[in-house]
Amino acid sequence: MATVLSPVADVCRAAKRAASVLAQTDTAVKDGALEAIATGLEARMQEVLESNERDMQAGREADIGAALLDRLRLDEARVRAIAQAVRQIAALADPVGEVIDGWRLPNGLDVRKVRVPLGVVAVVYEARPNVAIDATALCLKSGNAIVLRGSSSASHSNAALYRVAYEGAVQAGLPEGCVSLLAGGGREELAELATQGASVDLIIPRGGERLKEALQAVATVPVIYAASGNCHVYVDAAADLEKAEAIVLNAKTQRPGVCNAAETFLVHRTVADAFVPRALEAMAANGVDVFGDEAVRALDRTGRVEPPIGEARYDAAGIQSMRTFLAVARSRYASQYAAGEVRSRKVPFGQFKKETAGYLRRLFRRAGQGKTTQIIAISASCPELARQLRGLESGPDGVWKKAEDQHGPDSLVAGAQRIARIHRQLQQEE
C-alpha cells in the first residue's frame, strides 16, 4: 500500500468520521486491532528496517549528529520492543465508559463522571519513529482516531510504520480513517493542521521548544504542551557509592539523546566528599561536561567543572567564559535547526570560526588591559583560527605573544585541541 498524500482538511474530516465509530467500538475489537499491529510489526520487520535505513543514510549525509541518529535508528530489538509495548497497551483495562466519580444531588438526581474518548487526536513529533506506533496504540485503545504528523527526517520510517498500523487496524475491524499520516508538508501543513477546529479535538506535540512555539503561534485547536524535562538522580547518604557511580554514569551516557537521560545530579552533603570527586572523574573520562555549584567545584579534581550557565557567566573582568559562549551558541543553532531556519543541525564551521574570532578579539582587547591569563583560561581556539589571530595580534607587544611568553606554546596547543573537541560536540544534538 502506497502512502497517499491528501489535503490536511480531508484527512482530518475522515478521521472525525472514524472517531464517531471508534467511540462505540467493543474492547475486544480494539484489542484485536492492537494485536494485529504488533504481529504486523514482527512480520514486516525487514520492510520497516529497510525504510529506516533510508532515513539513516539521509541523516548521515546531512550530518545531523550522533544523538539525533540514535533517536532515528530502528533495529530488530527496538522494533520488537515497540511491538511488545503495543501488546502491553492492549492488556490494559479499557478506559472508555469507566466511572471515575459519582454522587447524588439533594433532589435525587444521580451524577456520574465517566471517561469518554476525546475524538481526533493529532500527534506532531520529530525524529522519533517509535512515536508513530506508541501514539497510535494509545489512541486506538482509548477509542480515539489519530492523525500522525512526523518529521521529514524520518519520512520513510514513518510511512512504513503507518502502513503496518493502518492495515492491521482496518483488517481487524476498525474504521478507515482511524489512523492517518500527514507526510511531505512543511510549516504550512503544520499551521493548517493546527487550525482544523471542526475536526481535530486535540494536538499533542512531541518535540523541542521550537515546535511548541510554532504551534502556539497558530493553533486554534487545543494543545497539550509537555513541560521541558529535567531528569534528576539523587545520591542519598545511605547509598552504595560504587553502585551510585555506575547509576549516575549510565543515566547520563547510555543514550544521551533521549528525553529521560539524566541532566541533574543531587548529592547528600554527608557523602559529597567521598562521592563527588570520583563521580566527576568518571564523567570527565566519558566526555561529559559538568556545570556545578560552588560546593561541587570545590571538590573537583578534573579542572573541568564550570559554574552553571546563568549563575556565573562572566569573570571578575566581565568576560564571558568560552564554554558558556559555546553552550549558548549550541542552543541557538539547535533552535534554528528545529525551526527550519538552517538545513542541518551541524554548526557551519565558517560561522563558528567567525563568531569565535569575534569573541576572542573582544577578549584580547580586554586581555591587553592586563588580563592576558584569560586567553588561556578560555581555551584558545582551533589551529586555523589561532593562526589568524596570531597574525592579528602579532608583534613584540601583541597579546598572543604575551600569552605564549607567560604560559608557553604547549598551553596554546592544548587549548586549540580542546576547542576542536568542543566544536565537534557543537555538531551534535544535545
Side-chain angles (χ1 to χ4, degrees), residues 260-309:
N260 62 341
E263 292 150 326
T264 300
F265 300 111
L266 300 175
V267 181
H268 196 286
R269 66 177 67 253
T270 60
V271 294
D273 290 350
F275 180 75
V276 170
R278 62 189 286 181
L280 293 177
E281 289 173 353
M283 285 189 275
N286 284 269
V288 178
D289 289 336
V290 178
F291 297 85
D293 62 15
E294 186 175 348
V296 169
R297 298 197 298 275
L299 295 171
D300 175 37
R301 297 194 292 248
T302 69
R304 293 184 44 167
V305 179
E306 296 282 343
I309 294 176

Side-chain angles (χ1 to χ4, degrees), residues 157-386:
S157 306
N158 291 335
L161 294 170
Y162 159 71
R163 289 192 293 269
V164 171
Y166 176 81
E167 292 171 15
V170 171
Q171 290 171 10
L174 296 188
E176 293 189 8
C178 62
V179 184
S180 306
L181 174 68
L182 297 175
R187 290 281 164 162
E188 297 79 11
E189 179 188 78
L190 179 62
E192 187 176 0
L193 174 62
T195 55
Q196 296 297 310
S199 50
V200 176
D201 297 285
L202 179 69
I203 295 176
I204 301 176
R206 286 286 306 275
E209 294 304 312
R210 294 293 248 177
L211 174 60
K212 298 173 189 175
E213 291 171 5
L215 282 169
Q216 286 175 330
V218 296
T220 57
V221 174
V223 181
I224 291 180
Y225 297 100
S228 298
N230 188 0
C231 302
H232 287 59
V233 175
Y234 170 61
V235 180
D236 189 57
D240 180 319
L241 298 188
E242 185 173 344
K243 290 181 179 179
E245 180 183 334
I247 291 169
V248 164
L249 195 61
N250 177 271
K252 183 60 183 177
T253 63
Q254 183 193 40
R255 288 188 67 190
V258 297
C259 56
N260 62 341
E263 292 150 326
T264 300
F265 300 111
L266 300 175
V267 181
H268 196 286
R269 66 177 67 253
T270 60
V271 294
D273 290 350
F275 180 75
V276 170
R278 62 189 286 181
L280 293 177
E281 289 173 353
M283 285 189 275
N286 284 269
V288 178
D289 289 336
V290 178
F291 297 85
D293 62 15
E294 186 175 348
V296 169
R297 298 197 298 275
L299 295 171
D300 175 37
R301 297 194 292 248
T302 69
R304 293 184 44 167
V305 179
E306 296 282 343
I309 294 176
E311 174 187 298
R313 291 191 176 191
Y314 299 89
D315 68 3
I319 300 174
Q320 188 179 32
S321 77
M322 172 60 85
R323 294 185 69 190
T324 298
F325 169 81
L326 291 172
V328 173
R330 175 187 299 172
S331 176
R332 185 176 68 254
Y333 278 110
S335 296
Q336 289 175 341
Y337 173 76
E341 297 170 6
V342 293
R343 297 182 63 182
S344 171
R345 182 175 292 278
K346 177 179 178 180
V347 178
F349 193 40
Q351 181 65 22
F352 169 78
K353 289 192 295 184
K354 179 181 177 181
E355 292 199 16
T356 308
Y359 169 79
L360 287 180
R361 288 191 190 101
R362 293 193 298 273
L363 184 66
F364 277 15
R365 284 196 291 271
R366 299 297 294 273
Q369 299 170 10
K371 297 291 292 181
T372 58
T373 56
Q374 290 299 320
I375 298 171
I376 303 304
I378 55 83
S379 301
S381 188
C382 64
E384 180 181 348
L385 181 56

Side-chain angles (χ1 to χ4, degrees), residues 28 46 78 103 127 135 163 225 286 290 295 318 360 370 392 428 430:
Q46 194 60 34
R78 291 186 180 184
W103 59 92
R163 289 192 293 269
Y225 297 100
N286 284 269
V290 178
L360 287 180
L392 290 171
Q428 300 179 3
E430 275 294 332

